[in-house]
Every structure is written in structure tokens, then in C-alpha cells.
Amino acid sequence: MNGFAKLPEPPYFAVIFSSQRNGDDEAGYAAAAERMLELAAQQPGFLGAESARGADGFGITVSYWGSEAAIGAWKHQAEHAATRAHGRKHWYEHFELRVAKVTRAYGKPALPDNAPQD
């Protein structure tokens, strides 16, 4: 999950997961995070994701979905539910989850490598 998600025009939904890792089982966490992204990408309504984590263990992952129903289905997907429960018990000191409807989106596109810089 490197860089920006390629998303359609709004509206769509964002699930914002902010967390403070406890530093335990880094390899297990990394494998689970990779698996959850693979699994999410197979779910109807999944649009993409963006994630960042600092050296202090604080991270934010935003997953994008086409509908609230798709978010609900992902929440109840069995493997995802089991991984969430494991994470709450073993990987996180604290976390917050927020769901938002994106009604507007804009940005500055990246310049091609050969474009003049201002």
C-alpha cells in the first residue's frame, strides 16, 4: 500500500482507522496487515486504501468504499473480524475508527518526471 489510492469521483465512503501500536509481534502484524489489504481488495465495493505509520507506532489507514453496505459487509467478513479481535488484544495500545462520507475530493496531480519544475 504505497502512495495514493486511485479513486472515482465522489461520493464514496472513507473508513479512517487511527492506531497506536504496542510494538509486539511486528512480523505477525505486518503479515496480517498485508492479508487484510488483499482480502479487502476482493470485497464488493472496495475502492482502495492509503496507510502510513510513524516510527513511534502511530498510524492511520484509510480505506475507501462505495457504500455503507459494503463497509458493513467488510466489518462482518469472518477473517477480518477474527483479525480485528486479535489486534485489539495483541497489537494496539489504542485505536479510533471513524466512517465519513466523501462529498468532494481534489488534489494536485504529480508532475511527470520530465516536466519543468516551478
Side-chain angles (χ1 to χ4, degrees), residues 28-45:
Y29 177 81
E34 184 176 325
R35 173 63 183 147
M36 289 302 100
L37 182 58
E38 291 171 1
L39 189 60
Q42 299 171 13
Q43 304 308 302

Side-chain angles (χ1 to χ4, degrees), residues 15-88:
V15 176
I16 305 152
F17 180 69
S18 303
S19 63
Q20 181 65 53
R21 290 268 290 111
N22 62 16
D24 292 346
D25 188 21
E26 293 290 341
Y29 177 81
E34 184 176 325
R35 173 63 183 147
M36 289 302 100
L37 182 58
E38 291 171 1
L39 189 60
Q42 299 171 13
Q43 304 308 302
F46 177 78
L47 302 174
E50 299 165 340
S51 188
R53 184 162 304 277
D56 64 353
F58 179 77
I60 298 176
T61 297
V62 183
S63 60
Y64 300 97
W65 300 86
S67 68
E68 287 188 273
I71 294 168
W74 172 238
K75 179 181 179 181
H76 296 292
Q77 197 282 343
E79 187 176 347
H80 177 231
T83 301
R84 279 195 334 269
H86 183 84
R88 289 177 179 151

Side-chain angles (χ1 to χ4, degrees), residues 5 9 12 27 30 62 64 76 86 88-89 98 103 105-106 111:
E9 289 295 314
Y12 49 82
V62 183
Y64 300 97
H76 296 292
H86 183 84
R88 289 177 179 151
K89 185 173 182 181
R98 299 165 180 101
T103 59
Y106 57 91
L111 294 173

